[in-house]
Amino acid sequence: MTDWQAFSVETKDHVAQVTLIGPGKGNAMGPDFWRELPLVFGELDADPEVRAIVLTGSGRHFSYGLDLPAMAGTFGALLADRAFAAPRTEFLVELRKMQGAVTAVADCRKPVIAAVSGWCIGGGLDLIAAADIRLASAEAKFSLREAKVAIVADIGSLHRLPGIIGEGHLRELTYTGRDIDAARAEKIGLVNDVYADQDAVLDAAHALARDIAANPPLVVQGAKDVLEQRTKDVVAAGLRYVSAWNSAFLPSEDLTEAIQAVFEKRDPQFKGR
C-alpha cells in the first residue's frame, strides 16, 4: 500500500477503511490532504477487491475543515495582489484542484459511507456530502462555517447538500454558519442514523459496508452510476461557477480580518468591505 501522509487505508473482506490522520490538528485539511485524496480514491476505485468504503477520522474528531495556517499560501498571493489577474488565475487553478479532490470521492464507483464523530466543519462537510451515506455518533457536531470566515463555500456543500437536506435547511446552515448536533443532523437528513459513540458508529458503518459488499459488485456500481446521473452535471456546473465567483470576489478586507482573527485567536469584526 502507498505510504500516505494524510490518510491510512486498510482493506478487509472487500471493505476499505480510509481514515483521516492529519497531520493538522483535528484532521484539518492541509496540502497533503488535498494532494492525496484523489489518489487514494483513485486507487480504491481501480481495486477489484474493494466493493465498499468506510470514511472516518482518527482521534476524537472527523475534521476541523480547511487548515488555514497550512493553506495560507493559497490565499496569500490573492490578498496581496488582489487587483491583478495572475494571482486570481492561480487561485482558480488551485481551487479547482481542491474541488476535483472531493469530486473524486463522489466519482468513486464504490459506495462510500462516512462515519462521523466529533467535529465535522467546513471542508469536512464538503467531504461527507460527497459520500453516499452518512452516519454519526451522538456527540458529533456539524458546521458549514465558511460564512463566518468571509468565504462562500466552494468545494461542494452548496451543490451536493440540496439533494440531501433540502434547500431550506441548507440555506439556514449556509447563511448562519451555526453548529448543529447529531440529533438535528439526523432530523434534517444529513445523517441516516445516530449511534451511541465513536466505536458504535464505526461498527455500524462497517456492518453496512459488508451488506453492500455482499451484493453483486458491478450491479451496485451500476446503481451508483445511474443515481449520480441525476445531479452530476448540475454539481459540475455549480462548482465551476462558484470557483469563478470566488476568484473574482473572494479578496476582501473581511477575509483578511477573518484570517487575522484566526491567528490572533479573537472574534473577527466584519465591515462589509
Side-chain angles (χ1 to χ4, degrees), residues 1 9-17 42-54 108-111 209-210 212-218 221:
M1 296 298 291
V9 182
E10 299 176 359
T11 302
K12 181 180 178 181
D13 298 331
H14 301 299
V15 175
Q17 177 173 313
E43 286 193 8
L44 294 175
D45 180 84
D47 187 344
E49 291 302 308
V50 174
R51 298 183 181 183
I53 301 167
V54 173
C108 181
R109 292 174 296 168
K110 319 302 172 63
R210 288 193 296 271
I212 292 170
N215 287 329
L218 296 181
Q221 293 168 31

Side-chain angles (χ1 to χ4, degrees), residues 170-187:
L170 175 57
R171 289 171 188 257
E172 179 182 337
L173 295 181
T174 302
Y175 301 158
T176 65
R178 66 173 48 147
D179 308 331
I180 63 170
D181 61 17
R184 177 73 192 283
E186 183 180 26
K187 182 177 180 180

Side-chain angles (χ1 to χ4, degrees), residues 152 173 226:
V152 173
L173 295 181
V226 171

Side-chain angles (χ1 to χ4, degrees), residues 160-214:
R160 295 187 172 99
L161 287 179
I164 298 169
I165 66 174
E167 288 282 349
H169 293 305
L170 175 57
R171 289 171 188 257
E172 179 182 337
L173 295 181
T174 302
Y175 301 158
T176 65
R178 66 173 48 147
D179 308 331
I180 63 170
D181 61 17
R184 177 73 192 283
E186 183 180 26
K187 182 177 180 180
I188 66 177
L190 179 59
V191 301
N192 286 20
D193 294 291
V194 175
Y195 297 86
D197 54 33
Q198 189 171 27
D199 289 339
V201 71
L202 194 56
D203 287 345
H206 275 276
L208 181 55
R210 288 193 296 271
D211 284 348
I212 292 170

Side-chain angles (χ1 to χ4, degrees), residues 9 16 36 93 124 169 177 205 227 232 253 256:
V9 182
E36 293 178 355
V93 170
H169 293 305
L227 287 167
K232 192 170 186 177
E253 291 182 16
T256 301

Side-chain angles (χ1 to χ4, degrees), residues 29-50:
M29 300 169 169
D32 288 333
F33 172 89
W34 298 107
R35 181 178 63 256
E36 293 178 355
L37 181 64
L39 301 178
V40 169
F41 277 85
E43 286 193 8
L44 294 175
D45 180 84
D47 187 344
E49 291 302 308
V50 174

